[in-house]
Amino acid sequence: MTVLDIPTAGTALRAPGRLDAWTILGMDVQRATSAQEALDMAYLSNWKVRIWDDVVVRSDESGTMTELKMHGTRSTIRTNPITSQAEQIAAVGNQYTPVQIDDHKDVLDMFARESGAKFHKAGAHGHNGSKFFVSMVLPDVIRIGGFDEHRMHLTLFGSHDGSSANSFHIGPTRLDCGNMQRFIIKGAQHKYTIPHTVSAPVKLAEVHKALETLFGWQETFERMANRLLNTPVTLGQFEKIADIIWDVPANPSKRQMANIQARRAHLRHLFLEADTQESIRGTAWAALNALGEFDDHFGNAKSPTLRAARSLSDTGAVTKRKTAAFNELYALAA
């Protein structure tokens, strides 16, 4: 029983009923045999994203629509795949060039042919689909230490709001807890980027060259994860690293101290007692996963959707903390 086997429940081996970020944000597209089918299932196809210049449409209390010209403004507009109505996504800069989700179909199909990857989850989130992803899962299960199971994903991440370039990523999900193992490993390329500029078609045409490099990240991840699994870590070391990555202030306010103590107590439980660390207890690998599990599943957030989006992002605070934790713990293994 794995996250992949029960996509509607997102069940992890030692955390029954827990939803992973893929399930919270996306739709199940495992029946898709092509990128076109996956995009259709997830309502991601034929958005026709385009730029509108100098236009704002408003409605008054009576519902009367007014079109106003606003010089110097640019916005991305999509056709809603369900209502077929035009919707604003976001204001963007003068150099922004839309890249359609559909433009990535050939690359996704190439990944499937050359790696044996299967379509997994796909979806859009943020204002009117400002961010989107299409996740594929590789056929082999990775077992750290021969037993701690992970599924490796090849994922297209993208946006239509100028917040990030579109990119293809490689990265694993830990099945015992549903953790997104998204951290940056120095010297190992985990993504290939397609910018929102006129060079996008060229970058898309060359993406097949990056596939072998991305698989190199997988090999590095396995080697380093096994090193962490064989490195003992004490509770004191774990808590010191937790305070470093959350940047605990020297003189916290009363409110800050209450939040710090609550987080410390939860992290201590995850490291010492949680079922999800049972098979790896007392190791640097357990420490990394306890820290990641807190951010992915218990960190303060206005909604599970926002927490899941933070876990999938490779540019936000969550990935920065995971990367910092990985570096601190790997230093203990050196």
mmCIF file of all heavy atoms in Angstrom, residues 28-59:
data_model
loop_
_atom_site.group_PDB
_atom_site.id
_atom_site.type_symbol
_atom_site.label_atom_id
_atom_site.label_comp_id
_atom_site.label_asym_id
_atom_site.label_seq_id
_atom_site.Cartn_x
_atom_site.Cartn_y
_atom_site.Cartn_z
ATOM 1 N N ASP A 28 -6.254 13.251 -9.934
ATOM 2 C CA ASP A 28 -5.685 11.964 -10.313
ATOM 3 C C ASP A 28 -5.741 11.806 -11.833
ATOM 4 O O ASP A 28 -6.815 11.828 -12.431
ATOM 5 C CB ASP A 28 -6.483 10.853 -9.629
ATOM 6 C CG ASP A 28 -5.997 9.461 -10.011
ATOM 7 O OD1 ASP A 28 -4.893 9.349 -10.567
ATOM 8 O OD2 ASP A 28 -6.737 8.492 -9.747
ATOM 9 N N VAL A 29 -4.570 11.661 -12.461
ATOM 10 C CA VAL A 29 -4.518 11.484 -13.921
ATOM 11 C C VAL A 29 -3.778 10.194 -14.271
ATOM 12 O O VAL A 29 -3.208 10.070 -15.358
ATOM 13 C CB VAL A 29 -3.853 12.698 -14.612
ATOM 14 C CG1 VAL A 29 -4.699 13.946 -14.422
ATOM 15 C CG2 VAL A 29 -2.432 12.935 -14.084
ATOM 16 N N GLN A 30 -3.786 9.226 -13.363
ATOM 17 C CA GLN A 30 -3.032 7.991 -13.599
ATOM 18 C C GLN A 30 -3.566 7.171 -14.770
ATOM 19 O O GLN A 30 -2.835 6.342 -15.318
ATOM 20 C CB GLN A 30 -3.041 7.135 -12.325
ATOM 21 C CG GLN A 30 -2.207 7.740 -11.208
ATOM 22 C CD GLN A 30 -2.102 6.812 -10.020
ATOM 23 O OE1 GLN A 30 -1.261 5.922 -10.001
ATOM 24 N NE2 GLN A 30 -2.951 7.005 -9.033
ATOM 25 N N ARG A 31 -4.815 7.381 -15.148
ATOM 26 C CA ARG A 31 -5.367 6.639 -16.284
ATOM 27 C C ARG A 31 -4.909 7.209 -17.620
ATOM 28 O O ARG A 31 -5.119 6.596 -18.666
ATOM 29 C CB ARG A 31 -6.893 6.635 -16.213
ATOM 30 C CG ARG A 31 -7.456 5.809 -15.069
ATOM 31 C CD ARG A 31 -8.978 5.805 -15.074
ATOM 32 N NE ARG A 31 -9.545 7.112 -14.780
ATOM 33 C CZ ARG A 31 -10.101 7.924 -15.659
ATOM 34 N NH1 ARG A 31 -10.160 7.568 -16.938
ATOM 35 N NH2 ARG A 31 -10.593 9.090 -15.296
ATOM 36 N N ALA A 32 -4.283 8.383 -17.599
ATOM 37 C CA ALA A 32 -3.856 9.029 -18.846
ATOM 38 C C ALA A 32 -2.729 8.250 -19.503
ATOM 39 O O ALA A 32 -1.782 7.814 -18.840
ATOM 40 C CB ALA A 32 -3.407 10.457 -18.574
ATOM 41 N N THR A 33 -2.827 8.069 -20.791
ATOM 42 C CA THR A 33 -1.769 7.412 -21.553
ATOM 43 C C THR A 33 -0.988 8.395 -22.414
ATOM 44 O O THR A 33 -0.088 8.010 -23.148
ATOM 45 C CB THR A 33 -2.359 6.311 -22.454
ATOM 46 O OG1 THR A 33 -3.320 6.905 -23.349
ATOM 47 C CG2 THR A 33 -3.035 5.228 -21.612
ATOM 48 N N SER A 34 -1.340 9.675 -22.326
ATOM 49 C CA SER A 34 -0.625 10.721 -23.061
ATOM 50 C C SER A 34 -0.750 12.019 -22.288
ATOM 51 O O SER A 34 -1.623 12.175 -21.423
ATOM 52 C CB SER A 34 -1.200 10.912 -24.472
ATOM 53 O OG SER A 34 -2.510 11.465 -24.393
ATOM 54 N N ALA A 35 0.131 12.959 -22.605
ATOM 55 C CA ALA A 35 0.071 14.266 -21.959
ATOM 56 C C ALA A 35 -1.249 14.968 -22.260
ATOM 57 O O ALA A 35 -1.820 15.633 -21.387
ATOM 58 C CB ALA A 35 1.249 15.119 -22.419
ATOM 59 N N GLN A 36 -1.741 14.819 -23.479
ATOM 60 C CA GLN A 36 -3.013 15.452 -23.819
ATOM 61 C C GLN A 36 -4.130 14.949 -22.917
ATOM 62 O O GLN A 36 -4.935 15.732 -22.406
ATOM 63 C CB GLN A 36 -3.364 15.173 -25.285
ATOM 64 C CG GLN A 36 -4.656 15.853 -25.751
ATOM 65 C CD GLN A 36 -4.536 17.366 -25.750
ATOM 66 O OE1 GLN A 36 -3.768 17.932 -26.505
ATOM 67 N NE2 GLN A 36 -5.296 18.036 -24.875
ATOM 68 N N GLU A 37 -4.184 13.647 -22.692
ATOM 69 C CA GLU A 37 -5.220 13.093 -21.820
ATOM 70 C C GLU A 37 -5.055 13.613 -20.391
ATOM 71 O O GLU A 37 -6.041 13.937 -19.731
ATOM 72 C CB GLU A 37 -5.162 11.567 -21.828
ATOM 73 C CG GLU A 37 -5.644 10.946 -23.134
ATOM 74 C CD GLU A 37 -5.644 9.418 -23.070
ATOM 75 O OE1 GLU A 37 -5.310 8.849 -22.000
ATOM 76 O OE2 GLU A 37 -5.973 8.793 -24.086
ATOM 77 N N ALA A 38 -3.816 13.678 -19.909
ATOM 78 C CA ALA A 38 -3.579 14.167 -18.545
ATOM 79 C C ALA A 38 -4.030 15.613 -18.396
ATOM 80 O O ALA A 38 -4.684 15.971 -17.408
ATOM 81 C CB ALA A 38 -2.100 14.028 -18.195
ATOM 82 N N LEU A 39 -3.689 16.457 -19.369
ATOM 83 C CA LEU A 39 -4.092 17.864 -19.303
ATOM 84 C C LEU A 39 -5.609 18.001 -19.372
ATOM 85 O O LEU A 39 -6.199 18.821 -18.663
ATOM 86 C CB LEU A 39 -3.437 18.657 -20.430
ATOM 87 C CG LEU A 39 -1.910 18.763 -20.415
ATOM 88 C CD1 LEU A 39 -1.427 19.693 -21.512
ATOM 89 C CD2 LEU A 39 -1.393 19.219 -19.061
ATOM 90 N N ASP A 40 -6.244 17.204 -20.212
ATOM 91 C CA ASP A 40 -7.703 17.254 -20.310
ATOM 92 C C ASP A 40 -8.359 16.844 -18.994
ATOM 93 O O ASP A 40 -9.319 17.476 -18.542
ATOM 94 C CB ASP A 40 -8.194 16.343 -21.441
ATOM 95 C CG ASP A 40 -7.868 16.887 -22.825
ATOM 96 O OD1 ASP A 40 -7.538 18.081 -22.934
ATOM 97 O OD2 ASP A 40 -7.931 16.111 -23.792
ATOM 98 N N MET A 41 -7.860 15.774 -18.367
ATOM 99 C CA MET A 41 -8.435 15.302 -17.104
ATOM 100 C C MET A 41 -8.336 16.360 -16.008
ATOM 101 O O MET A 41 -9.229 16.488 -15.164
ATOM 102 C CB MET A 41 -7.710 14.033 -16.635
ATOM 103 C CG MET A 41 -8.008 12.799 -17.445
ATOM 104 S SD MET A 41 -7.038 11.393 -16.808
ATOM 105 C CE MET A 41 -7.465 10.132 -18.015
ATOM 106 N N ALA A 42 -7.249 17.112 -16.016
ATOM 107 C CA ALA A 42 -7.007 18.101 -14.963
ATOM 108 C C ALA A 42 -7.463 19.500 -15.351
ATOM 109 O O ALA A 42 -7.195 20.464 -14.628
ATOM 110 C CB ALA A 42 -5.519 18.126 -14.627
ATOM 111 N N TYR A 43 -8.165 19.635 -16.474
ATOM 112 C CA TYR A 43 -8.652 20.936 -16.950
ATOM 113 C C TYR A 43 -7.503 21.936 -17.140
ATOM 114 O O TYR A 43 -7.618 23.117 -16.808
ATOM 115 C CB TYR A 43 -9.707 21.514 -15.993
ATOM 116 C CG TYR A 43 -10.912 20.634 -15.836
ATOM 117 C CD1 TYR A 43 -11.042 19.814 -14.718
ATOM 118 C CD2 TYR A 43 -11.916 20.594 -16.802
ATOM 119 C CE1 TYR A 43 -12.143 18.980 -14.566
ATOM 120 C CE2 TYR A 43 -13.020 19.767 -16.660
ATOM 121 C CZ TYR A 43 -13.122 18.958 -15.535
ATOM 122 O OH TYR A 43 -14.209 18.128 -15.388
ATOM 123 N N LEU A 44 -6.398 21.454 -17.687
ATOM 124 C CA LEU A 44 -5.238 22.310 -17.912
ATOM 125 C C LEU A 44 -4.999 22.620 -19.385
ATOM 126 O O LEU A 44 -4.085 23.389 -19.708
ATOM 127 C CB LEU A 44 -3.973 21.645 -17.345
ATOM 128 C CG LEU A 44 -3.892 21.472 -15.831
ATOM 129 C CD1 LEU A 44 -2.620 20.720 -15.451
ATOM 130 C CD2 LEU A 44 -3.953 22.803 -15.113
ATOM 131 N N SER A 45 -5.773 22.050 -20.271
ATOM 132 C CA SER A 45 -5.510 22.236 -21.696
ATOM 133 C C SER A 45 -6.311 23.399 -22.271
ATOM 134 O O SER A 45 -7.385 23.752 -21.786
ATOM 135 C CB SER A 45 -5.838 20.951 -22.467
ATOM 136 O OG SER A 45 -7.194 20.592 -22.295
ATOM 137 N N ASN A 46 -5.737 23.982 -23.333
ATOM 138 C CA ASN A 46 -6.408 24.998 -24.140
ATOM 139 C C ASN A 46 -6.826 26.234 -23.340
ATOM 140 O O ASN A 46 -7.902 26.781 -23.545
ATOM 141 C CB ASN A 46 -7.643 24.386 -24.835
ATOM 142 C CG ASN A 46 -8.028 25.149 -26.084
ATOM 143 O OD1 ASN A 46 -7.172 25.737 -26.754
ATOM 144 N ND2 ASN A 46 -9.305 25.146 -26.412
ATOM 145 N N TRP A 47 -5.934 26.692 -22.462
ATOM 146 C CA TRP A 47 -6.216 27.920 -21.702
ATOM 147 C C TRP A 47 -6.062 29.171 -22.563
ATOM 148 O O TRP A 47 -6.580 30.219 -22.229
ATOM 149 C CB TRP A 47 -5.273 28.022 -20.512
ATOM 150 C CG TRP A 47 -5.651 27.149 -19.361
ATOM 151 C CD1 TRP A 47 -6.476 26.062 -19.354
ATOM 152 C CD2 TRP A 47 -5.172 27.286 -18.011
ATOM 153 N NE1 TRP A 47 -6.554 25.516 -18.106
ATOM 154 C CE2 TRP A 47 -5.760 26.246 -17.253
ATOM 155 C CE3 TRP A 47 -4.311 28.162 -17.380
ATOM 156 C CZ2 TRP A 47 -5.512 26.081 -15.897
ATOM 157 C CZ3 TRP A 47 -4.060 28.006 -16.034
ATOM 158 C CH2 TRP A 47 -4.656 26.972 -15.299
ATOM 159 N N LYS A 48 -5.258 29.080 -23.618
ATOM 160 C CA LYS A 48 -5.023 30.222 -24.517
ATOM 161 C C LYS A 48 -4.567 31.454 -23.735
ATOM 162 O O LYS A 48 -5.131 32.552 -23.867
ATOM 163 C CB LYS A 48 -6.287 30.549 -25.325
ATOM 164 C CG LYS A 48 -6.770 29.399 -26.199
ATOM 165 C CD LYS A 48 -8.069 29.745 -26.911
ATOM 166 C CE LYS A 48 -8.567 28.578 -27.745
ATOM 167 N NZ LYS A 48 -9.886 28.836 -28.378
ATOM 168 N N VAL A 49 -3.549 31.287 -22.927
ATOM 169 C CA VAL A 49 -3.040 32.399 -22.118
ATOM 170 C C VAL A 49 -2.468 33.469 -23.044
ATOM 171 O O VAL A 49 -1.674 33.185 -23.942
ATOM 172 C CB VAL A 49 -1.973 31.903 -21.131
ATOM 173 C CG1 VAL A 49 -1.413 33.077 -20.319
ATOM 174 C CG2 VAL A 49 -2.571 30.855 -20.201
ATOM 175 N N ARG A 50 -2.881 34.703 -22.823
ATOM 176 C CA ARG A 50 -2.431 35.807 -23.671
ATOM 177 C C ARG A 50 -2.288 37.061 -22.817
ATOM 178 O O ARG A 50 -2.661 37.064 -21.638
ATOM 179 C CB ARG A 50 -3.390 36.075 -24.829
ATOM 180 C CG ARG A 50 -4.820 36.493 -24.441
ATOM 181 C CD ARG A 50 -5.718 35.315 -24.260
ATOM 182 N NE ARG A 50 -7.145 35.667 -24.196
ATOM 183 C CZ ARG A 50 -8.088 34.817 -23.775
ATOM 184 N NH1 ARG A 50 -7.786 33.589 -23.375
ATOM 185 N NH2 ARG A 50 -9.354 35.191 -23.767
ATOM 186 N N ILE A 51 -1.743 38.103 -23.435
ATOM 187 C CA ILE A 51 -1.530 39.376 -22.754
ATOM 188 C C ILE A 51 -2.587 40.384 -23.189
ATOM 189 O O ILE A 51 -2.879 40.518 -24.385
ATOM 190 C CB ILE A 51 -0.135 39.945 -23.079
ATOM 191 C CG1 ILE A 51 0.963 39.016 -22.561
ATOM 192 C CG2 ILE A 51 0.021 41.344 -22.489
ATOM 193 C CD1 ILE A 51 1.067 38.951 -21.061
ATOM 194 N N TRP A 52 -3.168 41.058 -22.213
ATOM 195 C CA TRP A 52 -4.010 42.218 -22.488
ATOM 196 C C TRP A 52 -3.269 43.443 -21.960
ATOM 197 O O TRP A 52 -2.826 43.477 -20.807
ATOM 198 C CB TRP A 52 -5.369 42.105 -21.795
ATOM 199 C CG TRP A 52 -6.341 41.207 -22.523
ATOM 200 C CD1 TRP A 52 -6.110 40.449 -23.622
ATOM 201 C CD2 TRP A 52 -7.704 40.991 -22.175
ATOM 202 N NE1 TRP A 52 -7.237 39.759 -23.994
ATOM 203 C CE2 TRP A 52 -8.242 40.076 -23.124
ATOM 204 C CE3 TRP A 52 -8.538 41.452 -21.158
ATOM 205 C CZ2 TRP A 52 -9.558 39.638 -23.076
ATOM 206 C CZ3 TRP A 52 -9.851 41.018 -21.111
ATOM 207 C CH2 TRP A 52 -10.361 40.122 -22.072
ATOM 208 N N ASP A 53 -3.162 44.455 -22.820
ATOM 209 C CA ASP A 53 -2.482 45.695 -22.449
ATOM 210 C C ASP A 53 -3.488 46.803 -22.175
ATOM 211 O O ASP A 53 -4.478 46.952 -22.909
ATOM 212 C CB ASP A 53 -1.566 46.169 -23.590
ATOM 213 C CG ASP A 53 -0.394 45.242 -23.798
ATOM 214 O OD1 ASP A 53 0.352 45.023 -22.831
ATOM 215 O OD2 ASP A 53 -0.233 44.722 -24.921
ATOM 216 N N ASP A 54 -3.212 47.574 -21.135
ATOM 217 C CA ASP A 54 -3.909 48.839 -20.882
ATOM 218 C C ASP A 54 -5.418 48.697 -20.755
ATOM 219 O O ASP A 54 -6.166 49.605 -21.126
ATOM 220 C CB ASP A 54 -3.622 49.845 -22.014
ATOM 221 C CG ASP A 54 -2.143 50.055 -22.230
ATOM 222 O OD1 ASP A 54 -1.388 49.849 -21.260
ATOM 223 O OD2 ASP A 54 -1.746 50.411 -23.338
ATOM 224 N N VAL A 55 -5.904 47.571 -20.262
ATOM 225 C CA VAL A 55 -7.345 47.369 -20.164
ATOM 226 C C VAL A 55 -7.708 46.884 -18.759
ATOM 227 O O VAL A 55 -7.066 45.985 -18.214
ATOM 228 C CB VAL A 55 -7.853 46.349 -21.200
ATOM 229 C CG1 VAL A 55 -9.352 46.084 -20.999
ATOM 230 C CG2 VAL A 55 -7.601 46.865 -22.609
ATOM 231 N N VAL A 56 -8.725 47.484 -18.186
ATOM 232 C CA VAL A 56 -9.306 46.997 -16.938
ATOM 233 C C VAL A 56 -10.812 46.958 -17.128
ATOM 234 O O VAL A 56 -11.414 47.917 -17.627
ATOM 235 C CB VAL A 56 -8.958 47.905 -15.740
ATOM 236 C CG1 VAL A 56 -9.710 47.454 -14.494
ATOM 237 C CG2 VAL A 56 -7.465 47.875 -15.475
ATOM 238 N N VAL A 57 -11.437 45.842 -16.784
ATOM 239 C CA VAL A 57 -12.885 45.716 -16.888
ATOM 240 C C VAL A 57 -13.467 45.723 -15.483
ATOM 241 O O VAL A 57 -13.042 44.949 -14.627
ATOM 242 C CB VAL A 57 -13.292 44.430 -17.628
ATOM 243 C CG1 VAL A 57 -14.807 44.310 -17.694
ATOM 244 C CG2 VAL A 57 -12.696 44.429 -19.030
ATOM 245 N N ARG A 58 -14.425 46.595 -15.234
ATOM 246 C CA ARG A 58 -15.038 46.705 -13.920
ATOM 247 C C ARG A 58 -16.548 46.581 -14.038
ATOM 248 O O ARG A 58 -17.134 46.862 -15.084
ATOM 249 C CB ARG A 58 -14.698 48.052 -13.273
ATOM 250 C CG ARG A 58 -13.217 48.249 -12.948
ATOM 251 C CD ARG A 58 -12.984 49.629 -12.393
ATOM 252 N NE ARG A 58 -11.591 49.816 -11.984
ATOM 253 C CZ ARG A 58 -11.089 50.982 -11.600
ATOM 254 N NH1 ARG A 58 -11.857 52.062 -11.589
ATOM 255 N NH2 ARG A 58 -9.824 51.077 -11.238
ATOM 256 N N SER A 59 -17.186 46.208 -12.950
ATOM 257 C CA SER A 59 -18.648 46.211 -12.911
ATOM 258 C C SER A 59 -19.108 47.009 -11.706
ATOM 259 O O SER A 59 -18.491 46.955 -10.645
ATOM 260 C CB SER A 59 -19.189 44.778 -12.818
ATOM 261 O OG SER A 59 -18.746 44.152 -11.639
#
